[in-house]
Amino acid sequence: MKVKVVIVGYGDRGSLYANYASKYPEELEIVAVVDPDLYRLGMAQEKFNLDKSQCLTSFDELLKRGKIADCAVVATMDQLHYEQAKALLGQNYHLLLEKPIVNNSEKLQELRKIATERNLTMMVGHVLRYAPFYNAIKRDILAGKVGEIIHIETSELVGVGHASASFIRGKWKSEKECGSGMLLAKCCHDIDLICWLNNATQPTEVVSYGGRNFIVPEKAPKDSTNRCYNNCPHIDTCRFSAKSHYVDNDIWCIYSYPLIKKKHSEITIDEKLEALKTNDPMGVCAYKTGSDLVDHQSVMMKFENGSTAFHSMLSAVPRPGRKIHIIGTEGEIEGFFESNKYTYRKFNFENSMWTEETVDVTKAIEKSVGHGGGDILLMRDFVRRMQGEKPSIAATDIVDSINGHECVYAAEKSRKQGGCVTL
């Protein structure tokens, strides 16, 4: 059965999910794309050979047409998720909703209730569950290799380039504007992974510390200007230099030059320099963008069975990546996501030390896909669900994605107000 889908929001995430239809056209057909950006809409129209009638600039226009597909992918900005998801569920669409779901518990529980009462599939874009690295770890846990989980320790090291383009200069730089703090926007993946890997129990308490203490105006290099290309004396030495990031090395190009409506490969050097000198947000001094997100945060979690977990987020580090260490009653697992390898250890009775084996998941990762292979595998699972197949062990159903979000809400309450928060 070919599944028909509507793509709501054809930005970075929406276009990645939509690519499944071009790779597997016999499985998925895009019947409409919604995006207020005419340039992005034109890209979708060209790529999927859509009629103008299938390219909508208004979400309300989609709603007026009633239900025109089996399901919808909602990949708009965070603050739009609640109203759009609620409206589409009301028209009986099955949903794949990009993370974060929403930014508060009341709206989260309301969407869960609507989806459950209407018997609708509502999956969340927690793509890391599908990455072969984490999926293999989950299978080892289910197989009993570590025994009962005692503690999970994770860290999200956000590299300088990603931090700058997304959370310092980019469209997620302000909780006031987009509705999500750093933990919700970036690390709801990680907190979700903790709750999913340890879902034999439930989280009960959360405490968190953190703040924006380092990437702030008062710590900008001496004599720095408001824009890198405004004769700043540090343009060749600052780690946040727009010259280094967006001209010399062209990193994180999916987010750079957002105001230039051209394919990135077609933007000339003169256009880049003019944009960075004038109105492009990527040209603003990283210390003076007005970002209100934390640049470091730690979260401690306690579970019903007494197990614990710890997560740390550090922004603008030299080497980005995700670390994980799981300690159980029978063994432990430790790995670095970007290496595609993790080590399993268990006690060795012969020498009272340990034995270990390395698991390499590189061959399981499909080429040209993001999040360690997770993006396309999540879409594959979503399409299979629409075709009537049973969910995989990674299935990000709304009912199984709530704990991670609730822990994030609790962590932010703890960080801002102090003390331990009981779930």
Side-chain angles (χ1 to χ4, degrees):
M1 180 188 86
K2 181 183 287 190
V3 176
K4 295 184 177 181
V5 67
V6 172
I7 306 295
V8 182
Y10 194 73
D12 170 49
R13 301 302 304 155
S15 59
L16 280 174
Y17 292 137
N19 281 344
Y20 193 89
S22 60
K23 192 167 186 177
Y24 302 101
E26 72 283 2
E27 295 184 24
L28 187 67
E29 176 186 355
I30 296 175
V31 299
V33 175
V34 184
D35 200 298
D37 188 324
L38 293 177
Y39 173 70
R40 301 294 305 187
L41 209 54
M43 290 176 61
Q45 182 179 7
E46 179 182 354
K47 185 176 181 67
F48 300 104
N49 194 28
L50 303 174
D51 295 330
K52 285 187 176 181
S53 62
Q54 295 174 287
C55 301
L56 313 178
T57 58
S58 164
F59 181 72
D60 289 338
E61 188 178 350
L62 173 66
L63 294 182
K64 289 177 182 177
R65 297 190 180 187
K67 188 179 181 183
I68 61 173
D70 303 301
C71 56
V73 171
V74 178
T76 51
M77 284 299 290
D78 306 4
Q79 68 270 30
L80 302 176
H81 288 180
Y82 169 71
E83 294 293 347
Q84 292 177 342
K86 183 177 179 180
L88 290 169
L89 289 172
Q91 292 190 340
N92 290 321
Y93 278 92
H94 298 284
L95 293 184
L96 171 57
L97 178 62
E98 177 57 5
K99 64 84 191 168
I101 306 168
V102 289
N103 64 5
N104 68 76
S105 180
E106 291 75 20
K107 291 179 179 178
L108 175 70
Q109 296 294 346
E110 183 182 357
L111 292 181
R112 176 201 59 79
K113 182 179 179 182
I114 295 171
T116 302
E117 289 180 346
R118 288 178 172 266
N119 196 28
L120 295 169
T121 294
M122 183 175 175
M123 288 176 58
V124 182
H126 285 308
V127 292
L128 290 183
R129 291 194 193 186
Y130 290 87
F133 178 85
Y134 291 110
N135 208 267
I137 290 175
K138 177 67 173 179
R139 293 180 186 277
D140 280 350
I141 292 171
L142 291 175
K145 294 186 73 171
V146 300
E148 186 177 359
I149 291 175
I150 299 171
H151 182 72
I152 299 177
E153 200 166 300
T154 61
S155 60
E156 162 73 291
L157 308 173
V158 188
V160 177
H162 192 183
S164 173
S166 298
F167 308 106
I168 298 174
R169 291 170 165 135
K171 53 188 175 181
W172 290 278
K173 72 176 183 179
S174 171
E175 183 174 359
K176 293 178 182 177
E177 293 177 13
C178 81
S180 299
M182 185 66 171
L183 199 65
L184 187 61
K186 189 74 179 81
C187 295
C188 68
H189 275 313
D190 307 273
I191 306 299
D192 174 74
L193 284 171
I194 289 172
C195 292
W196 175 59
L197 294 172
N198 197 26
N199 65 359
T201 183
Q202 299 286 320
T204 57
E205 296 178 11
V206 178
V207 65
S208 180
Y209 298 95
R212 189 172 189 84
N213 306 101
F214 303 101
I215 311 171
V216 290
E218 55 268 32
K219 293 191 177 181
K222 184 180 179 181
D223 300 324
S224 60
T225 57
N226 288 333
R227 282 187 169 272
C228 299
Y229 277 97
N230 188 19
N231 297 316
C232 182
H234 307 283
I235 194 168
D236 290 314
T237 56
C238 178
R239 63 175 170 155
F240 295 111
S241 168
K243 178 177 181 290
S244 173
H245 285 220
Y246 312 117
V247 178
D248 294 346
N249 297 299
D250 205 19
I251 61 174
W252 283 92
C253 59
I254 57 173
Y255 295 138
S256 59
Y257 308 107
L259 303 182
I260 301 178
K261 303 303 179 182
K262 294 173 66 174
K263 291 181 179 180
H264 189 81
S265 59
E266 297 175 355
I267 301 175
T268 67
I269 184 64
D270 288 339
E271 289 173 325
K272 290 180 178 181
L273 292 175
E274 179 63 21
L276 293 173
K277 290 177 182 178
T278 56
N279 62 350
D280 197 296
M282 298 299 151
V284 178
C285 173
Y287 293 91
K288 304 171 185 179
T289 64
S291 174
D292 58 16
L293 303 191
V294 298
D295 51 30
H296 65 114
Q297 186 167 359
S298 298
V299 182
M300 185 73 178
M301 303 161 59
K302 180 181 178 182
F303 290 80
E304 196 172 44
N305 67 352
S307 59
T308 54
F310 181 80
H311 176 70
S312 60
M313 186 286 300
L314 298 168
S315 184
V317 302
R319 185 186 74 159
R322 283 182 162 97
K323 298 179 181 179
I324 188 167
H325 193 179
I326 303 172
I327 298 95
T329 55
E330 301 296 330
E332 64 177 302
I333 288 173
E334 185 175 17
F336 187 62
F337 175 55
E338 281 68 18
S339 74
N340 299 320
K341 298 176 183 178
Y342 64 87
T343 300
Y344 166 67
R345 303 184 188 94
K346 62 180 179 179
F347 182 76
N348 185 349
F349 287 91
E350 293 183 2
N351 59 11
S352 292
M353 299 284 284
W354 69 87
T355 59
E356 65 180 36
E357 61 180 280
T358 299
V359 179
D360 188 338
V361 300
T362 305
K363 291 183 179 180
I365 298 174
E366 296 196 39
K367 295 180 180 179
S368 301
V369 290
H371 288 100
D375 287 343
I376 196 168
L377 294 173
L378 181 142
M379 270 304 292
R380 179 174 295 164
D381 199 25
F382 182 61
V383 171
R384 298 288 192 272
R385 294 286 297 279
M386 296 301 98
Q387 294 172 330
E389 293 188 16
K390 291 182 178 180
S392 71
I393 63 168
T396 56
D397 283 305
I398 181 69
V399 292
D400 191 44
S401 298
I402 281 177
N403 282 344
H405 272 61
E406 292 286 10
C407 287
V408 171
Y409 305 149
E412 287 296 79
K413 183 177 180 180
S414 172
R415 179 181 68 83
K416 294 174 181 178
Q417 300 178 14
C420 181
V421 176
T422 301
L423 297 179

